[in-house]
Amino acid sequence: MTSVVVFDYGFGNVRSMVRALANLGLDVTLTSDYRAALEADGLVVPGVGAFAACMRGLKEVSGDRVVYDRLRAGRPVLGVCVGQQIMFEKGLERGQEAAGLGLIGGSVDLLDADVVPHMGWNTVEAPADSVLLDGVANERFYFVHSYAAMGVRSADLSAMQIDFGDAPERVTWCEYGRSRFVAAYERGPLSATQFHPEKSAEAGARLLKNWVATF
């Protein structure tokens, strides 16, 4: 049976994600154990709350190390919500800058909108060759966030000894208020979504199936 670990580092809405994955017939484990997270077929890194706090919590249980080690080995990782944000180089929150995992070039900033947080259903703009969004590119997904990445640039992964080779970078976008932000990201074994697939009904279930099919 296909195994997935939902990484438990104290900063995620983990129960709904575990349930959504279990509903797909997967062997799902909620743990912060390094070896279990490294060896599972897939790893989900959730995230709720402040960017800097999530990074601290992740590092305290060697979550940064397990993400890097999995990606070096070409093993799938899916970041969700703040779990996507911390894949970027840095986050700016409450006037303070915090370093992220540096896997995606760019920064996470406050949304420019009259009402923040962005909470509810929204459509996304996916590239034609998106693997995650295959079959659901025109569907709505559920968002809850105040911060997001407004752009993507190439990140230098050489210091991490990660090489995605010629894997294409696929970026899905969303608009809210005056912001156009990264709604999903795909490159090789690294996938991430700003929205919550586990709360996005049938479209979210299809996205998770698409991700699992990459194992």
Side-chain angles (χ1 to χ4, degrees):
M1 183 183 292
T2 301
S3 62
V4 176
V5 160
V6 177
F7 201 67
D8 184 15
Y9 65 107
F11 291 88
N13 187 356
V14 291
R15 288 182 181 153
S16 55
M17 178 60 79
V18 168
R19 187 166 54 248
L21 292 165
N23 287 342
L24 299 180
L26 304 170
D27 177 14
V28 187
T29 304
L30 176 63
T31 183
S32 60
D33 180 76
Y34 170 84
R35 183 58 54 183
L38 181 67
E39 294 178 353
D41 295 318
L43 176 68
V44 177
V45 180
V48 171
F51 186 106
C54 282
M55 278 300 300
R56 283 195 301 271
L58 192 71
K59 288 182 175 182
E60 284 173 2
V61 289
S62 298
D64 54 340
R65 185 162 64 96
V66 77
V67 169
Y68 293 145
D69 287 349
R70 283 187 64 90
L71 294 177
R72 286 187 196 106
R75 312 203 76 179
V77 174
L78 173 65
V80 174
C81 196
V82 182
Q84 167 175 286
Q85 294 177 12
I86 60 177
M87 300 296 173
F88 283 82
E89 291 171 318
K90 62 183 178 180
L92 300 171
E93 198 158 337
R94 300 186 181 95
Q96 302 210 348
E97 182 176 303
L101 293 172
L103 294 163
I104 310 171
S107 64
V108 174
D109 301 285
L110 182 66
L111 291 167
D112 182 7
D114 295 332
V115 177
V116 174
H118 173 207
M119 183 181 298
W121 298 83
N122 208 337
T123 54
V124 299
E125 177 189 333
D129 62 347
S130 171
V131 175
L132 282 182
L133 279 294
D134 181 41
V136 287
N138 298 317
E139 300 294 333
R140 297 189 307 157
F141 294 89
Y142 189 78
F143 292 84
V144 183
H145 64 118
S146 299
Y147 294 80
M150 309 302 167
V152 169
R153 61 175 180 268
S154 295
D156 182 2
L157 306 181
S158 58
M160 307 164 203
Q161 297 179 307
I162 295 172
D163 184 3
F164 290 143
D166 58 358
E169 202 169 48
R170 302 181 177 102
V171 182
T172 294
W173 300 92
C174 184
E175 293 185 1
Y176 178 71
R178 291 166 292 278
S179 293
R180 185 172 186 262
F181 64 88
V182 178
Y185 179 90
E186 306 163 65
R187 189 179 181 196
L190 176 60
S191 302
T193 65
Q194 179 61 66
F195 53 82
H196 288 270
E198 77 280 12
K199 296 181 179 180
S200 296
E202 291 181 11
R206 172 62 184 269
L207 182 145
L208 291 173
K209 283 182 185 176
N210 290 343
W211 177 62
V212 171
T214 67
F215 296 2

